[in-house]
Amino acid sequence: MAHGLNPAQSDAVETLSGPLLVLAGAGTGKTRVVTFRIANLIRHGTAPDRILAVTFTNKAAGEMKERVGELLGYAGKRKKRGEKRPEPTISTFHAHCVRVLRRHATALGYPAKFSIYDRSDQESLAREILRQLRLPGTALKPGDLLGIISNWKNDSIHPDKAPLVASTDKEHLAAAGYRRYQEGLKTRGAMDFDDLLLQTEVLFDEHPEIRDAEAAKFDHVLVDEYQDTNGSQYRITKHLAGKHRNLCVVGDDDQSIYAWRGADVTHILNFKNDWPDAKIVCLEANYRSCGSILEMANRLIKFNATRHDKVLRPSRPDGMRPRIAQHKDETKESQSVVGEIKHLIENQHVQPRDIAILFRTNEQPRLFETELRKADVPYVMLGSQSFFDRREVRDMVAYLKWIDQPDDEVSLLRIINTPSRGMSPKSVKTLMEHAVADGVSIWQVMQRRDIVADLSPAAQRGVADLQSVYADVTARAKSESLTAAMETLLTRTAYADEINRLYDEPEDRQNRMASLGEVANAIGAFEDNREDADLTGFLADIALSGREMGNEKDKLAMQNAVWLLTLHAAKGLEFPVVYMVGMEEGLLPHSRSVKSGREEDIAEERRLCYVGITRAQEQLTLSMALTRRKWGKPRPTIPSQFLYEVTGQATNPHQFRKQRKMAGR
């Protein structure tokens, strides 16, 4: 074993050119292979800044950077100001696309300093579009419109093609809104999260000279979690690696569980078709789970017809056999599971943080929370309110977005009278009407003295106040720093007075002010870590990092408490003790997949079950309720088909198909 790598890992690390597919099963040391391979490329003469590695979360990108730094001997050493130390580009897909678009967005008619809309910004624009379409409130909600548009964007479907693919009534209404929504974004100098990929793809398709220039920046491209790529990411990757063909993708088709957000497992399944000269390396040695758990996982996943043929092989002894537990109803299930957990903590000295309860739907944890509280067992649950969803944080970020991009109307309308500055709804409506009539932004209208003179005296003072805030904050950002500009913003808006007005409780006020302090801390940290720090970069940074749960997982891991989380949220984590609850038809597999009747939908649910099983290191329990209440009445349940499959009680039709193929050779 070179450098502590097993033979398969070494094979992947030492393959330095051409297309390479690394099939990395759960717990097989995938990140180790990616980072060692980057370091090995550099040791063999590849310039560090000629390597691009992309993954899906900021946390994963950060870990990759840190490990590569350790291998190359510069971990923890910050660059001195002005020092040029070439380093690999390691980032998320979206972050890399932001960098590309910052360089070339003007070629698509967007400003170089375009805003990145978050969910709240999108919903504001969607509500406005639906009002323009004069649709009844029940016909199409903002969330419905955004969901349909997002699905289309993930499939690279543009507004002009949407009416052709729309099949339901809601989709036909959404197709009418899609064009206006996209025009609204462009008018406001903004892109949404899906646009970061879609517009990069458009840029590469419509401007081959830009595509070739961006591709020429790198000699090697590595893609982590390739099974999670959507259509745009797949095509962008081909554009970037098409000429030099030094493309290494790492992933596991058996852990592809994000089809609902555009991931297409066929990309990893068909890699050899796309790159016929590709080498394939299988990582099968699992360092996480004991043998009996892997036996169950292997038995389950073989029921998927379309997959790369591989088997997880244990590096640890068999250990305790997984259990299947049946309970009278969902109340008994939660009581029994929590009772066992309390016993493990009190009598077997298992730490609460080493135990996880995994479930398929967001409705399931309620009973478990109740029982954990009764038993006085500490617990944490993923998915609580995001830091960037708090009102005071949203207000301050809206101010920063408006200062960075004054034509960003969603942000301006959020803060135009927050805190109160005399801008009545009537005054705002007047400004909006002039903006629509003249085809300009509200901020541009606010610079016209003739229009402002017709507003009420209070509104005139409000406009002057906003102009003054904008001038003061931008001046301090240019002359001093972003941190100083943030101080000016808080002082000039008197936002602390707004918090005191809105909240009576001292603790509430203190927490809200602490949140604003955290925004200032985030700006300070951004400036410390970036030589070229500017407001545009900071806003892009929080727009990209605010969408993922990586930071939340890290914070929860520091608490000594039982984890409650969905199977999707559990990916990437591992626990000594795991309970997978609600193993029933309609829950896992989900009722939508059961009703669709499509084999690929059940295959995705089976992969989700596989991900759950492979989170367990030492102890695994699969539990179900024999009855479960629906609309207040107990209904009998059907055991999940996956229970029969993992226990060998179901016949695997694909096994016979394979045997027939081998017999016919």
Side-chain angles (χ1 to χ4, degrees), residues 333 356-369 372 379-383 563-570 578-583 587-588 590 608 612 623 628:
E333 180 186 39
I357 302 173
L358 310 183
F359 42 86
R360 175 65 179 87
T361 69
N362 288 316
E363 295 76 33
Q364 286 174 261
R366 181 184 62 82
L367 285 169
F368 292 93
E369 284 193 83
L372 287 163
Y379 72 92
V380 290
M381 191 158 82
L382 267 175
W563 293 67
L564 280 174
L565 66 170
T566 65
L567 289 161
H568 283 102
V578 169
Y579 289 87
M580 288 175 61
V581 299
M583 293 293 297
L587 285 177
L588 186 66
H590 195 279
L608 191 56
S623 81
R628 191 172 290 272

Side-chain angles (χ1 to χ4, degrees), residues 423-486:
M423 300 295 296
S424 67
K426 182 181 177 184
S427 300
V428 174
K429 185 180 178 186
T430 300
L431 294 170
M432 289 176 71
E433 286 171 349
H434 280 289
V436 171
D438 296 345
V440 296
S441 72
I442 294 174
W443 180 244
Q444 289 171 310
V445 170
M446 291 169 74
Q447 311 313 306
R448 288 180 52 182
R449 292 181 183 178
D450 56 327
I451 294 173
V452 174
D454 289 336
L455 300 176
S456 68
Q460 290 180 42
R461 289 192 295 274
V463 170
D465 180 56
L466 276 171
Q467 290 171 334
S468 174
V469 168
Y470 179 80
D472 290 351
V473 176
T474 50
R476 197 148 185 223
K478 286 177 183 174
S479 65
E480 294 183 50
S481 65
L482 294 181
T483 304
M486 179 68 183

Side-chain angles (χ1 to χ4, degrees), residues 27 58 80 154 195 234 255 268 274 281 286 305 404 427 475 541 571 627 651:
N58 288 296
K80 296 172 186 171
N154 279 322
D195 276 331
Y234 167 77
Q255 294 186 79
I268 194 168
D274 293 334
V281 176
N286 177 284
D404 186 55
S427 300
D541 196 59
K571 188 162 184 289
T627 64
T651 302

Side-chain angles (χ1 to χ4, degrees), residues 180-197:
R180 294 192 184 208
Y181 172 78
Q182 212 57 26
E183 287 171 354
L185 284 172
K186 203 164 190 178
T187 300
R188 291 160 175 78
M191 296 187 196
D192 64 20
F193 202 64
D194 295 319
D195 276 331
L196 301 179
L197 300 176

Side-chain angles (χ1 to χ4, degrees), residues 69-88:
E70 288 170 358
L71 291 170
L72 297 175
Y74 58 74
K77 296 178 184 175
R78 283 181 51 193
K79 282 191 199 176
K80 296 172 186 171
R81 189 166 289 278
E83 178 191 357
K84 294 196 174 179
R85 181 175 70 203
E87 294 178 3

Side-chain angles (χ1 to χ4, degrees), residues 92-309:
T92 63
F93 262 107
H94 288 86
H96 186 67
C97 287
V98 167
R99 283 192 288 270
V100 171
L101 291 168
R102 291 280 182 230
R103 291 191 282 266
H104 306 292
T106 52
L108 298 175
Y110 289 87
K113 291 173 72 171
F114 59 87
S115 300
I116 301 172
Y117 271 16
D118 60 20
R119 182 68 181 191
S120 178
D121 298 330
Q122 290 178 264
E123 286 177 351
S124 297
L125 178 56
R127 277 191 289 272
E128 184 182 325
I129 300 302
L130 294 175
R131 279 196 298 270
Q132 291 173 11
L133 293 172
R134 292 184 168 82
L135 292 175
T138 55
L140 193 66
K141 295 175 183 174
D144 296 333
L145 175 63
L146 293 174
I148 294 168
I149 289 174
S150 180
N151 288 338
W152 282 334
K153 286 187 176 183
N154 279 322
D155 289 336
S156 300
I157 295 168
H158 296 269
D160 58 326
K161 296 290 190 294
L164 304 176
V165 298
S167 56
T168 66
D169 289 344
K170 279 191 176 182
E171 286 180 353
H172 282 291
L173 293 173
Y178 186 8
R179 178 181 57 79
R180 294 192 184 208
Y181 172 78
Q182 212 57 26
E183 287 171 354
L185 284 172
K186 203 164 190 178
T187 300
R188 291 160 175 78
M191 296 187 196
D192 64 20
F193 202 64
D194 295 319
D195 276 331
L196 301 179
L197 300 176
L198 184 62
Q199 296 304 329
T200 301
E201 190 184 349
V202 171
L203 181 72
F204 286 175
D205 286 340
E206 294 182 357
H207 299 275
E209 73 287 356
I210 292 175
R211 176 192 67 213
D212 292 345
E214 288 296 326
K217 291 178 184 291
F218 305 103
D219 296 323
H220 288 268
V221 176
L222 295 91
V223 182
D224 190 21
E225 303 285 9
Y226 191 65
Q227 78 280 351
D228 292 337
T229 51
N230 65 18
S232 287
Q233 290 160 333
Y234 167 77
R235 286 182 285 275
I236 289 168
T237 299
K238 289 187 84 173
H239 283 315
L240 292 174
K243 287 198 173 177
H244 56 67
R245 299 181 65 76
N246 293 322
L247 172 64
C248 169
V249 303
V250 183
D252 182 9
D253 51 300
D254 292 335
Q255 294 186 79
S256 180
I257 58 173
Y258 297 116
W260 51 276
R261 67 183 190 199
D264 188 344
V265 70
T266 63
H267 297 157
I268 194 168
L269 292 174
N270 296 334
F271 187 79
K272 189 78 172 171
N273 295 339
D274 293 334
W275 307 86
D277 54 333
K279 178 176 180 176
I280 299 178
V281 176
C282 280
L283 306 184
E284 297 181 314
N286 177 284
Y287 298 99
R288 175 187 298 156
S289 306
C290 63
S292 57
I293 291 172
L294 295 184
E295 183 186 347
M296 176 177 272
N298 287 328
R299 191 181 292 137
L300 171 74
I301 204 63
K302 282 180 181 175
F303 278 79
N304 274 0
T306 308
R307 59 183 291 268
H308 287 290
D309 194 16

Side-chain angles (χ1 to χ4, degrees), residues 603-630:
E604 173 112 349
E605 293 289 307
R606 188 176 285 111
R607 290 193 291 268
L608 191 56
C609 185
Y610 173 85
V611 164
I613 290 171
T614 54
R615 297 314 92 196
Q617 295 170 293
E618 297 164 13
Q619 295 182 38
L620 172 65
T621 301
L622 310 180
S623 81
M624 65 163 292
L626 294 172
T627 64
R628 191 172 290 272
R629 287 187 180 275
K630 289 185 181 176

